[in-house]
Amino acid sequence: MRRAALVFAALTLLGATACSHDRKPATWQPGAPGSPAPATPDGPGDTGPKPAFTENPDGTLNRTRGPQPGTLAVQLSAGGLGPYKIGVTAESLQAAKLITAAAPAAGCANYSTATGTSKYHSPDLVFFKGRLLHLTVSSSAVKTDKGIKIGSPLANVKGGYPNGKVLNDWSGASAWLAMTGDYALLFPLKNDKVAQVQAGMAEPMQFKYTDNQGC
């Protein structure tokens, strides 16, 4: 009888050990296969706005997966400009007559391009798999949420976006990158003045500028 009890106890302990090996390790990272959905800034279960792209076209995962910056018709933000909100589909923009049909980008699989309407100062749009990835504004009539526009001096850009950083491209040209979570505004410079303003997903836009990778 005593021997039977000892065998039963040993089998029970062995089963508990085996089950403990089936548990997910505590070091699993958000986004890993089988890991829970990452919490948003408002906490687990929040159903607020989600990022336009969980995974960027270059394969990198977005860092925060937090809410997307809002957009206004009269101001450019890291989240886009008016109806040209990062992540919007080309199909919906075409249906609303805000673009003509998006054309495939030469040499770039899954990318397409289009131009916005003159009402929004004709931004150049780049789509990935049919969704807006980033846009470029070349009109001084468009200002950012901090009042920066084409022709603004670098000192004003730094003052408006003090947490940004300088980027240098392969030719030695410079830009100022101001990130908002997974999104960013990019200010390519010429003679220390803003030459263009770009808005969109931060990682692809940064790699495109520094290494000429992507479209």
Side-chain angles (χ1 to χ4, degrees):
M1 195 72 177
R2 177 180 175 82
R3 182 178 180 182
L6 289 174
V7 170
F8 177 79
L11 289 173
T12 302
L13 179 61
L14 180 61
T17 303
C19 290
S20 69
H21 291 168
D22 292 336
R23 295 172 189 160
K24 295 179 178 65
T27 55
W28 275 39
Q29 298 298 316
S35 62
T40 64
D42 292 330
D46 175 66
T47 57
K50 298 299 186 291
F53 294 86
T54 300
E55 182 176 344
N56 291 312
D58 58 15
T60 57
L61 294 176
N62 291 316
R63 293 188 176 92
T64 69
R65 304 191 187 186
Q68 177 169 344
T71 63
L72 295 172
V74 295
Q75 287 183 346
L76 179 66
S77 77
L81 173 66
Y84 305 106
K85 188 177 179 70
I86 304 306
V88 68
T89 64
E91 183 180 15
S92 65
L93 291 177
Q94 185 176 352
K97 298 182 179 180
L98 291 167
I99 60 169
T100 55
C108 295
N110 296 319
Y111 287 84
S112 57
T113 61
T115 302
T117 64
S118 58
K119 177 181 178 180
Y120 297 96
H121 307 287
S122 307
D124 294 320
L125 313 172
V126 174
F127 299 88
F128 178 73
K129 293 185 177 180
R131 292 195 295 151
L132 184 60
L133 182 66
H134 59 81
L135 61 86
T136 301
V137 171
S138 301
S139 170
S140 60
V142 179
K143 295 181 180 180
T144 72
D145 48 351
K146 301 296 184 181
I148 305 301
K149 62 180 182 177
I150 306 298
S152 293
L154 176 58
N156 289 10
V157 179
K158 289 182 175 180
Y161 303 94
N163 295 323
K165 64 179 181 179
V166 173
L167 294 181
N168 294 311
D169 72 4
W170 66 96
S171 70
S174 296
W176 188 257
L177 180 74
M179 295 182 61
T180 303
D182 300 315
Y183 303 81
L185 286 169
L186 180 68
F187 303 93
L189 304 167
K190 184 175 182 181
N191 299 324
D192 284 339
K193 292 185 177 180
V194 175
Q196 289 181 332
V197 185
Q198 299 177 15
M201 300 307 296
E203 293 288 351
M205 205 159 51
Q206 181 173 338
F207 290 145
K208 169 63 178 173
Y209 184 79
T210 58
D211 301 333
N212 200 26
Q213 295 182 13
C215 287

